Coordinates of all heavy atoms in Angstrom, one line a residue:
M1 N 81.9 151.6 414.9 CA 82.7 152.1 413.9 C 82.0 152.1 412.6 O 81.3 151.1 412.3 CB 84.0 151.4 413.8 CG 85.0 151.7 414.9 SD 86.6 150.9 414.6 CE 86.3 149.3 415.1
K2 N 82.3 153.1 411.8 CA 81.8 153.1 410.4 C 82.9 153.3 409.5 O 83.8 154.2 409.7 CB 80.8 154.3 410.2 CG 79.5 154.2 410.8 CD 78.6 155.4 410.4 CE 77.3 155.4 411.1 NZ 76.5 156.6 410.7
L3 N 83.0 152.4 408.5 CA 84.0 152.6 407.4 C 83.3 153.1 406.2 O 82.4 152.4 405.6 CB 84.6 151.2 407.1 CG 85.6 151.3 406.0 CD1 86.8 152.2 406.3 CD2 86.1 149.9 405.6
Y4 N 83.7 154.3 405.8 CA 83.1 154.9 404.5 C 84.0 154.4 403.4 O 85.3 154.5 403.5 CB 83.2 156.4 404.6 CG 82.2 156.9 405.6 CD1 82.5 157.0 407.0 CD2 80.9 157.3 405.2 CE1 81.6 157.5 407.9 CE2 80.0 157.8 406.1 CZ 80.3 157.8 407.5 OH 79.4 158.3 408.4
Y5 N 83.4 153.8 402.4 CA 84.2 153.2 401.3 C 83.5 153.5 399.9 O 82.4 153.9 399.8 CB 84.2 151.7 401.5 CG 82.9 151.0 401.1 CD1 82.9 150.3 399.8 CD2 81.8 151.0 401.9 CE1 81.7 149.7 399.4 CE2 80.6 150.4 401.5 CZ 80.6 149.7 400.2 OH 79.4 149.1 399.8
A6 N 84.3 153.2 398.9 CA 83.8 153.2 397.5 C 84.5 152.1 396.8 O 85.7 151.8 397.1 CB 84.0 154.5 396.9
P7 N 83.8 151.4 395.9 CA 84.5 150.3 395.1 C 85.8 150.9 394.4 O 85.8 152.1 394.0 CB 83.4 149.9 394.1 CG 82.2 150.3 394.8 CD 82.4 151.6 395.5
D8 N 86.7 150.0 394.2 CA 88.0 150.3 393.5 C 88.7 151.5 394.1 O 89.3 152.3 393.3 CB 87.6 150.6 392.0 CG 86.9 149.4 391.4 OD1 87.3 148.3 391.6 OD2 86.0 149.7 390.6
T9 N 88.8 151.6 395.4 CA 89.5 152.7 396.0 C 90.4 152.1 397.1 O 90.4 150.9 397.4 CB 88.6 153.7 396.7 OG1 87.9 153.1 397.8 CG2 87.6 154.3 395.7
C10 N 91.1 153.0 397.8 CA 92.0 152.5 398.9 C 91.3 152.2 400.2 O 91.9 151.9 401.2 CB 93.0 153.7 399.2 SG 94.1 154.0 397.8
S11 N 90.0 152.1 400.1 CA 89.2 151.7 401.3 C 89.2 150.1 401.5 O 88.7 149.6 402.5 CB 87.8 152.2 401.2 OG 87.1 151.8 400.0
L12 N 89.8 149.4 400.5 CA 89.7 147.9 400.6 C 90.6 147.4 401.8 O 90.2 146.5 402.5 CB 90.2 147.3 399.3 CG 90.2 145.8 399.2 CD1 88.8 145.2 399.5 CD2 90.7 145.3 397.9
S13 N 91.8 148.0 402.0 CA 92.7 147.5 403.0 C 92.1 147.6 404.4 O 92.1 146.7 405.2 CB 94.1 148.0 402.9 OG 94.1 149.4 403.1
P14 N 91.5 148.8 404.8 CA 90.9 148.9 406.1 C 89.7 147.9 406.2 O 89.5 147.3 407.3 CB 90.4 150.3 406.2 CG 91.2 151.1 405.2 CD 91.5 150.1 404.1
H15 N 89.0 147.7 405.1 CA 87.9 146.7 405.1 C 88.4 145.3 405.5 O 87.8 144.6 406.3 CB 87.1 146.8 403.8 CG 85.9 146.0 403.8 ND1 85.0 146.0 402.7 CD2 85.3 145.2 404.7 CE1 84.0 145.2 403.0 NE2 84.1 144.7 404.2
I16 N 89.5 144.9 404.8 CA 90.1 143.6 405.1 C 90.5 143.5 406.5 O 90.3 142.5 407.2 CB 91.2 143.4 404.1 CG1 90.7 143.2 402.7 CG2 92.1 142.1 404.5 CD1 91.8 143.2 401.6
V17 N 91.2 144.5 407.0 CA 91.7 144.5 408.4 C 90.5 144.4 409.4 O 90.6 143.6 410.3 CB 92.6 145.7 408.7 CG1 92.9 145.8 410.2 CG2 93.9 145.6 407.9
L18 N 89.5 145.1 409.2 CA 88.3 145.0 410.0 C 87.8 143.6 410.1 O 87.4 143.1 411.1 CB 87.2 146.0 409.6 CG 87.4 147.4 410.0 CD1 86.6 148.4 409.1 CD2 87.1 147.6 411.5
R19 N 87.7 143.0 408.9 CA 87.2 141.6 408.9 C 88.2 140.6 409.5 O 87.8 139.7 410.2 CB 86.9 141.2 407.4 CG 85.9 142.1 406.7 CD 84.6 141.3 406.5 NE 83.7 142.1 405.7 CZ 82.4 142.3 406.1 NH1 82.0 141.7 407.2 NH2 81.6 143.0 405.4
E20 N 89.4 140.8 409.2 CA 90.5 139.9 409.8 C 90.5 140.0 411.3 O 90.6 138.9 412.0 CB 91.9 140.3 409.3 CG 93.0 139.5 409.8 CD 93.1 138.1 409.3 OE1 92.5 137.8 408.2 OE2 93.7 137.3 410.0
L21 N 90.3 141.1 411.9 CA 90.2 141.3 413.3 C 88.9 141.0 413.9 O 88.7 141.0 415.2 CB 90.7 142.7 413.7 CG 92.1 143.1 413.4 CD1 92.4 144.5 413.7 CD2 93.1 142.1 414.1
D22 N 87.9 140.8 413.1 CA 86.5 140.5 413.6 C 86.0 141.6 414.5 O 85.4 141.3 415.5 CB 86.5 139.1 414.3 CG 85.1 138.5 414.4 OD1 84.2 138.9 413.5 OD2 84.8 137.8 415.3
L23 N 86.2 142.8 414.1 CA 85.7 144.0 414.8 C 84.3 144.3 414.3 O 84.1 144.2 413.1 CB 86.7 145.1 414.7 CG 88.1 145.0 415.3 CD1 89.0 146.1 414.8 CD2 88.0 144.9 416.8
P24 N 83.5 144.8 415.2 CA 82.1 145.2 414.8 C 82.2 146.6 414.0 O 82.9 147.5 414.5 CB 81.4 145.4 416.1 CG 82.4 145.6 417.1 CD 83.6 144.9 416.7
F25 N 81.6 146.7 412.9 CA 81.6 147.9 412.1 C 80.5 147.9 411.1 O 79.8 146.9 410.9 CB 82.9 148.1 411.3 CG 83.1 147.1 410.2 CD1 82.9 147.5 408.9 CD2 83.6 145.8 410.5 CE1 83.0 146.5 407.9 CE2 83.8 144.9 409.4 CZ 83.5 145.3 408.1
T26 N 80.2 149.1 410.6 CA 79.2 149.3 409.6 C 79.8 149.8 408.4 O 80.7 150.7 408.5 CB 78.1 150.3 410.1 OG1 77.6 149.9 411.3 CG2 77.0 150.5 409.1
L27 N 79.5 149.3 407.2 CA 80.0 149.8 406.0 C 79.0 150.9 405.4 O 77.8 150.7 405.4 CB 80.1 148.7 404.9 CG 81.2 147.8 405.0 CD1 81.1 146.7 404.0 CD2 82.5 148.5 404.8
V28 N 79.6 152.0 405.0 CA 78.8 153.0 404.4 C 79.4 153.4 403.0 O 80.5 153.9 402.9 CB 78.7 154.3 405.2 CG1 77.8 155.4 404.6 CG2 78.2 154.0 406.6
R29 N 78.6 153.1 402.0 CA 79.1 153.3 400.6 C 79.0 154.8 400.3 O 78.1 155.5 400.6 CB 78.3 152.5 399.6 CG 78.9 152.6 398.2 CD 78.2 151.7 397.3 NE 78.8 151.8 395.9 CZ 78.7 150.9 395.0 NH1 78.2 149.7 395.3 NH2 79.3 151.1 393.8
V30 N 80.1 155.3 399.6 CA 80.1 156.7 399.2 C 80.2 156.8 397.7 O 80.9 156.0 397.0 CB 81.4 157.4 399.8 CG1 81.5 158.8 399.3 CG2 81.3 157.4 401.3
D31 N 79.4 157.7 397.1 CA 79.4 158.0 395.7 C 80.4 159.0 395.5 O 80.2 160.2 395.9 CB 78.0 158.4 395.2 CG 78.0 158.6 393.7 OD1 79.0 159.1 393.1 OD2 76.9 158.4 393.1
N32 N 81.6 158.7 394.9 CA 82.7 159.6 394.7 C 82.3 160.8 393.8 O 82.9 161.9 393.9 CB 83.9 158.9 394.2 CG 84.6 158.2 395.2 OD1 84.5 158.5 396.4 ND2 85.3 157.1 394.8
R33 N 81.3 160.6 393.0 CA 80.9 161.7 392.1 C 80.1 162.8 392.8 O 80.3 164.0 392.5 CB 80.2 161.2 390.8 CG 81.1 160.5 389.9 CD 80.3 159.8 388.8 NE 79.8 158.5 389.4 CZ 78.6 158.0 389.2 NH1 77.8 158.5 388.3 NH2 78.2 156.9 389.8
T34 N 79.2 162.4 393.7 CA 78.3 163.3 394.3 C 78.7 163.6 395.8 O 78.2 164.5 396.4 CB 76.9 162.7 394.3 OG1 76.9 161.6 395.1 CG2 76.4 162.5 392.9
N35 N 79.7 162.8 396.3 CA 80.1 162.9 397.7 C 78.9 162.7 398.7 O 78.9 163.3 399.8 CB 80.8 164.3 398.0 CG 82.2 164.3 397.5 OD1 82.9 163.4 397.6 ND2 82.5 165.4 396.8
C36 N 78.0 161.9 398.2 CA 76.8 161.6 399.1 C 77.0 160.1 399.5 O 77.4 159.3 398.7 CB 75.5 161.7 398.3 SG 74.1 161.4 399.3
S37 N 76.7 159.8 400.8 CA 76.9 158.5 401.2 C 75.5 157.8 401.2 O 74.5 158.4 401.1 CB 77.4 158.5 402.7 OG 76.5 159.1 403.5
A38 N 75.6 156.4 401.2 CA 74.4 155.6 401.1 C 73.4 155.9 402.2 O 72.2 155.6 402.1 CB 74.8 154.2 401.0
D39 N 73.9 156.3 403.4 CA 73.0 156.6 404.5 C 72.4 158.0 404.4 O 71.7 158.4 405.3 CB 73.7 156.3 405.8 CG 74.8 157.3 406.1 OD1 75.1 158.2 405.3 OD2 75.5 157.1 407.2
G40 N 72.7 158.7 403.3 CA 72.1 160.0 403.1 C 72.9 161.2 403.6 O 72.5 162.3 403.4
S41 N 74.0 160.9 404.2 CA 74.8 162.0 404.8 C 75.7 162.6 403.7 O 76.0 162.0 402.7 CB 75.6 161.5 406.0 OG 76.5 160.5 405.6
D42 N 76.1 163.9 404.0 CA 77.0 164.5 403.1 C 78.4 164.1 403.5 O 78.9 164.4 404.6 CB 76.9 166.0 403.3 CG 77.9 166.8 402.5 OD1 78.6 166.2 401.6 OD2 78.0 168.0 402.7
F43 N 79.1 163.3 402.6 CA 80.4 162.8 403.0 C 81.4 163.8 403.2 O 82.3 163.7 404.0 CB 80.9 161.8 401.9 CG 82.2 161.2 402.2 CD1 82.3 160.4 403.3 CD2 83.3 161.4 401.4 CE1 83.5 159.8 403.6 CE2 84.5 160.9 401.7 CZ 84.7 160.0 402.8
L44 N 81.3 165.0 402.6 CA 82.2 166.1 402.9 C 82.2 166.6 404.3 O 83.1 167.1 404.8 CB 82.0 167.3 401.9 CG 82.3 167.0 400.5 CD1 81.9 168.2 399.6 CD2 83.8 166.6 400.3
A45 N 81.1 166.3 405.0 CA 81.0 166.6 406.5 C 81.8 165.6 407.3 O 82.3 166.0 408.4 CB 79.6 166.6 406.9
I46 N 82.0 164.4 406.7 CA 82.8 163.4 407.4 C 84.3 163.6 407.1 O 85.2 163.6 407.9 CB 82.4 162.0 407.0 CG1 80.9 161.7 407.2 CG2 83.3 160.9 407.6 CD1 80.5 161.8 408.7
N47 N 84.6 163.8 405.8 CA 85.9 164.0 405.3 C 85.9 165.2 404.3 O 85.6 165.0 403.1 CB 86.5 162.8 404.7 CG 88.0 163.0 404.3 OD1 88.6 164.0 404.5 ND2 88.5 162.0 403.6
P48 N 86.3 166.4 404.7 CA 86.3 167.5 403.8 C 87.2 167.3 402.6 O 87.0 168.0 401.6 CB 86.8 168.7 404.7 CG 86.5 168.2 406.1 CD 86.7 166.7 406.1
K49 N 88.2 166.4 402.7 CA 89.0 166.1 401.5 C 88.3 165.4 400.4 O 88.7 165.4 399.3 CB 90.2 165.3 401.9 CG 91.2 166.0 402.9 CD 92.3 165.1 403.3 CE 92.2 164.8 404.8 NZ 93.2 163.9 405.3
G50 N 87.2 164.8 400.8 CA 86.3 164.2 399.8 C 86.7 162.8 399.3 O 86.1 162.3 398.3
Y51 N 87.6 162.1 400.0 CA 88.0 160.8 399.5 C 87.9 159.8 400.6 O 88.0 160.1 401.7 CB 89.4 160.8 398.8 CG 90.5 161.2 399.6 CD1 91.1 160.3 400.5 CD2 91.0 162.5 399.6 CE1 92.2 160.7 401.3 CE2 92.1 162.9 400.3 CZ 92.7 162.0 401.2 OH 93.7 162.3 402.0
V52 N 87.8 158.5 400.1 CA 87.7 157.4 401.0 C 89.1 156.7 401.0 O 89.8 156.9 400.1 CB 86.6 156.4 400.6 CG1 85.2 157.0 400.8 CG2 86.8 155.9 399.2
A53 N 89.4 156.0 402.1 CA 88.6 155.5 403.2 C 88.5 156.6 404.3 O 89.4 157.4 404.5 CB 89.2 154.3 403.7
A54 N 87.5 156.5 405.1 CA 87.3 157.2 406.3 C 86.7 156.3 407.3 O 85.8 155.5 407.0 CB 86.4 158.4 406.1
L55 N 87.3 156.3 408.5 CA 86.8 155.5 409.6 C 86.3 156.4 410.7 O 87.1 157.2 411.3 CB 87.9 154.6 410.2 CG 87.5 153.6 411.3 CD1 86.6 152.5 410.7 CD2 88.7 153.0 411.9
E56 N 85.0 156.3 411.0 CA 84.4 157.1 412.0 C 84.4 156.3 413.3 O 83.8 155.2 413.3 CB 83.0 157.5 411.6 CG 82.3 158.5 412.5 CD 81.0 158.9 411.9 OE1 80.1 158.0 411.8 OE2 80.8 160.1 411.7
C57 N 85.0 156.8 414.4 CA 85.1 156.1 415.6 C 84.4 156.9 416.7 O 84.8 158.0 417.0 CB 86.5 155.8 416.0 SG 87.5 155.0 414.8
G58 N 83.3 156.5 417.2 CA 82.5 157.3 418.1 C 81.8 158.4 417.4 O 81.6 158.4 416.2
D59 N 81.6 159.5 418.2 CA 80.8 160.6 417.7 C 81.6 161.6 416.9 O 81.1 162.2 416.0 CB 80.0 161.3 418.8 CG 79.0 160.4 419.5 OD1 78.5 159.5 418.8 OD2 78.6 160.6 420.6
V60 N 82.8 161.8 417.3 CA 83.6 162.9 416.7 C 84.9 162.5 416.1 O 85.6 163.3 415.4 CB 83.8 164.1 417.6 CG1 82.4 164.7 418.0 CG2 84.5 163.6 418.9
Q61 N 85.4 161.3 416.3 CA 86.7 160.9 415.9 C 86.7 160.3 414.5 O 85.9 159.4 414.3 CB 87.4 159.9 416.8 CG 87.6 160.5 418.2 CD 88.6 161.6 418.3 OE1 89.5 161.7 417.5 NE2 88.3 162.6 419.2
V62 N 87.4 160.8 413.5 CA 87.5 160.3 412.2 C 88.9 160.2 411.7 O 89.7 161.2 411.9 CB 86.7 161.2 411.2 CG1 86.7 160.7 409.8 CG2 85.2 161.3 411.6
L63 N 89.3 159.1 411.2 CA 90.6 158.9 410.6 C 90.3 158.8 409.1 O 89.4 158.2 408.6 CB 91.3 157.6 411.0 CG 91.7 157.6 412.5 CD1 92.2 156.2 412.8 CD2 92.9 158.5 412.6
T64 N 91.2 159.5 408.3 CA 90.9 159.6 406.9 C 92.1 159.2 406.0 O 92.0 159.3 404.8 CB 90.6 161.1 406.5 OG1 91.7 161.9 406.8 CG2 89.4 161.6 407.2
E65 N 93.1 158.6 406.5 CA 94.2 158.1 405.7 C 94.4 156.6 405.9 O 94.4 156.1 407.1 CB 95.6 158.8 406.1 CG 95.6 160.3 405.9 CD 95.5 160.7 404.5 OE1 95.9 159.9 403.6 OE2 95.0 161.8 404.2
G66 N 94.4 155.9 404.8 CA 94.4 154.4 404.9 C 95.5 153.8 405.8 O 95.1 153.0 406.7
P67 N 96.8 154.3 405.7 CA 97.8 153.7 406.6 C 97.5 154.0 408.1 O 97.7 153.2 409.0 CB 99.1 154.4 406.2 CG 98.8 154.7 404.7 CD 97.4 155.1 404.7
A68 N 97.0 155.2 408.4 CA 96.6 155.5 409.8 C 95.5 154.7 410.3 O 95.4 154.2 411.4 CB 96.3 157.0 409.9
I69 N 94.5 154.4 409.4 CA 93.3 153.6 409.7 C 93.8 152.2 410.1 O 93.4 151.6 411.1 CB 92.3 153.6 408.6 CG1 91.7 155.0 408.5 CG2 91.2 152.6 408.9 CD1 90.8 155.2 407.3
V70 N 94.6 151.5 409.2 CA 94.9 150.1 409.4 C 95.9 150.0 410.6 O 95.8 149.0 411.4 CB 95.5 149.5 408.2 CG1 94.5 149.4 407.1 CG2 96.8 150.1 407.7
Q71 N 96.7 151.0 410.9 CA 97.6 151.0 412.1 C 96.7 151.1 413.3 O 96.9 150.4 414.3 CB 98.6 152.1 412.0 CG 99.5 152.1 413.2 CD 100.6 153.2 413.0 OE1 101.0 153.5 411.9 NE2 101.0 153.8 414.1
Y72 N 95.7 152.0 413.3 CA 94.8 152.1 414.5 C 94.1 150.8 414.7 O 94.0 150.4 415.9 CB 93.8 153.3 414.2 CG 92.7 153.3 415.2 CD1 92.9 153.9 416.4 CD2 91.4 152.8 414.8 CE1 91.8 153.9 417.3 CE2 90.4 152.8 415.7 CZ 90.6 153.4 417.0 OH 89.5 153.4 417.9
L73 N 93.6 150.2 413.7 CA 92.8 149.0 413.8 C 93.7 147.9 414.4 O 93.3 147.1 415.2 CB 92.2 148.6 412.5 CG 91.1 149.5 412.0 CD1 90.7 149.1 410.5 CD2 89.9 149.5 412.9
A74 N 94.9 147.8 413.8 CA 95.9 146.7 414.3 C 96.2 146.9 415.8 O 96.3 145.9 416.5 CB 97.2 146.8 413.5
D75 N 96.2 148.1 416.2 CA 96.5 148.4 417.7 C 95.3 148.1 418.6 O 95.5 147.9 419.8 CB 96.9 149.9 417.9 CG 98.3 150.2 417.4 OD1 99.1 149.3 417.1 OD2 98.6 151.4 417.2
L76 N 94.1 148.0 418.0 CA 93.0 147.6 418.8 C 93.1 146.1 419.3 O 92.5 145.7 420.3 CB 91.7 147.8 418.0 CG 91.3 149.2 417.8 CD1 90.0 149.3 417.0 CD2 91.2 150.0 419.1
K77 N 93.7 145.3 418.5 CA 93.9 143.9 418.8 C 95.4 143.5 418.5 O 95.7 142.8 417.6 CB 93.0 143.0 418.0 CG 91.5 143.0 418.4 CD 90.8 141.8 417.8 CE 89.4 141.7 418.5 NZ 88.7 140.6 417.9
P78 N 96.3 143.9 419.4 CA 97.7 143.6 419.2 C 98.0 142.1 419.2 O 99.0 141.7 418.5 CB 98.4 144.4 420.3 CG 97.4 144.6 421.3 CD 96.1 144.7 420.6
E79 N 97.2 141.3 419.9 CA 97.4 139.9 419.9 C 97.3 139.2 418.5 O 97.8 138.1 418.3 CB 96.5 139.2 420.9 CG 95.0 139.3 420.6 CD 94.3 140.6 421.0 OE1 95.0 141.6 421.4 OE2 93.1 140.6 420.9
A80 N 96.6 139.9 417.6 CA 96.5 139.4 416.3 C 97.8 139.4 415.5 O 97.9 138.7 414.5 CB 95.4 140.1 415.5
G81 N 98.7 140.3 415.9 CA 100.0 140.4 415.2 C 100.0 141.0 413.8 O 100.9 140.7 413.0
L82 N 99.1 141.9 413.5 CA 99.0 142.5 412.2 C 100.0 143.6 412.1 O 100.3 144.1 411.0 CB 97.6 143.0 411.9 CG 96.5 142.0 411.7 CD1 95.2 142.6 411.3 CD2 97.0 141.0 410.7
A83 N 100.5 144.1 413.2 CA 101.6 145.2 413.2 C 102.5 144.9 414.4 O 102.1 144.5 415.4 CB 100.9 146.6 413.3
P84 N 103.8 145.3 414.2 CA 104.7 145.2 415.3 C 104.3 146.1 416.5 O 103.6 147.1 416.2 CB 106.0 145.7 414.8 CG 105.9 145.5 413.3 CD 104.4 145.7 413.0
P85 N 104.7 145.8 417.7 CA 104.3 146.6 418.8 C 104.7 148.1 418.7 O 105.8 148.4 418.1 CB 105.0 146.0 420.0 CG 105.3 144.6 419.6 CD 105.5 144.7 418.1
N86 N 103.9 149.0 419.2 CA 104.2 150.4 419.1 C 105.5 150.7 419.9 O 105.7 150.1 420.9 CB 103.0 151.2 419.7 CG 103.1 152.7 419.5 OD1 103.8 153.1 418.6 ND2 102.3 153.4 420.2
G87 N 106.3 151.6 419.4 CA 107.5 152.0 420.0 C 108.7 151.1 419.7 O 109.8 151.4 420.2
T88 N 108.5 150.1 418.9 CA 109.6 149.2 418.5 C 110.3 149.7 417.2 O 109.6 150.3 416.4 CB 109.2 147.8 418.4 OG1 108.2 147.7 417.3 CG2 108.5 147.3 419.6
W89 N 111.5 149.2 417.0 CA 112.2 149.5 415.7 C 111.4 148.9 414.5 O 111.3 149.5 413.5 CB 113.6 149.0 415.8 CG 114.4 149.3 414.5 CD1 114.8 148.4 413.6 CD2 114.7 150.6 414.0 NE1 115.4 149.0 412.6 CE2 115.4 150.3 412.8 CE3 114.6 151.9 414.4 CZ2 115.9 151.3 412.0 CZ3 115.1 152.9 413.6 CH2 115.7 152.6 412.4
A90 N 110.9 147.7 414.7 CA 110.2 147.0 413.7 C 109.0 147.8 413.3 O 108.6 147.8 412.1 CB 109.8 145.6 414.2
R91 N 108.3 148.5 414.2 CA 107.2 149.3 413.8 C 107.6 150.5 413.0 O 106.9 150.8 412.0 CB 106.5 149.8 415.1 CG 105.3 150.7 415.0 CD 104.1 150.0 414.5 NE 102.9 150.7 414.6 CZ 101.9 150.5 415.5 NH1 102.0 149.4 416.2 NH2 100.9 151.2 415.5
S92 N 108.7 151.1 413.3 CA 109.1 152.2 412.5 C 109.5 151.9 411.1 O 109.3 152.6 410.2 CB 110.3 152.9 413.2 OG 109.9 153.4 414.5
R93 N 110.1 150.7 411.0 CA 110.5 150.2 409.6 C 109.3 149.9 408.8 O 109.3 150.0 407.6 CB 111.4 149.0 409.8 CG 112.7 149.4 410.5 CD 113.6 148.2 410.6 NE 114.5 148.3 409.4 CZ 115.1 147.4 408.9 NH1 114.9 146.1 409.3 NH2 115.8 147.6 407.8

């Protein structure tokens, strides 16, 4: 997994969750002014909306909304208890 981030943005919460769950990931810094990532890629090819956070999973799957990213990550390790189980009333609330 790759987490595209920029300082002082909403990419902090997915970063914290990745660390909390001890999941393997790579951080890729994005320059919000140029939309260029530290690995040299055009960030707009990853997220056409142009903002972080973005989580790249595998070759073609990308999540670009912070709440969706942290929910996806919490579901990878449900035993950690970071989110209520899927399909429950507590999850919807």
